[in-house]
Amino acid sequence: MIFITQLIYIKPGKEAEFHAFENQAIPLMGKYTGRLVQRLRPTQETYVAGEEKKPYEIHIVSFESEEKLQAFFKDDTRLQFKHLKDGSVESILMFKGEKM
């Protein structure tokens, strides 16, 4: 089992486009053993500190294996909507790890 943590930074004014992508991509994860562990949206009140700017969202997801994760990334349905992600996301800082 692998875990992915993503700090997602959105282009200003592109939130709706990002949500349109997520509404398509998140349900597809289950097809590849993916699971949305947490989806967090920090607010100014809950953001304590950091050298980088506050991310729009933080996602923690899990997949059975790296192969399942890569299959999800290559899913044809996901790729049909990937332009929404590309048009709305400024950057993503992604960490891979294991549960300890």
Side-chain angles (χ1 to χ4, degrees), residues 54-86:
K54 176 178 66 66
Y56 178 73
E57 282 191 359
I58 300 169
H59 293 185
I60 302 171
V61 300
S62 66
F63 284 86
E64 216 172 70
S65 66
E66 180 68 28
E67 293 76 25
K68 298 283 188 175
L69 172 64
Q70 293 307 316
F72 167 68
F73 284 152
K74 295 174 187 172
D75 180 271
D76 289 336
T77 302
R78 182 184 173 278
L79 293 175
Q80 288 176 1
F81 296 97
K82 189 173 178 293
H83 68 280
L84 296 170
K85 177 184 174 188
D86 295 341

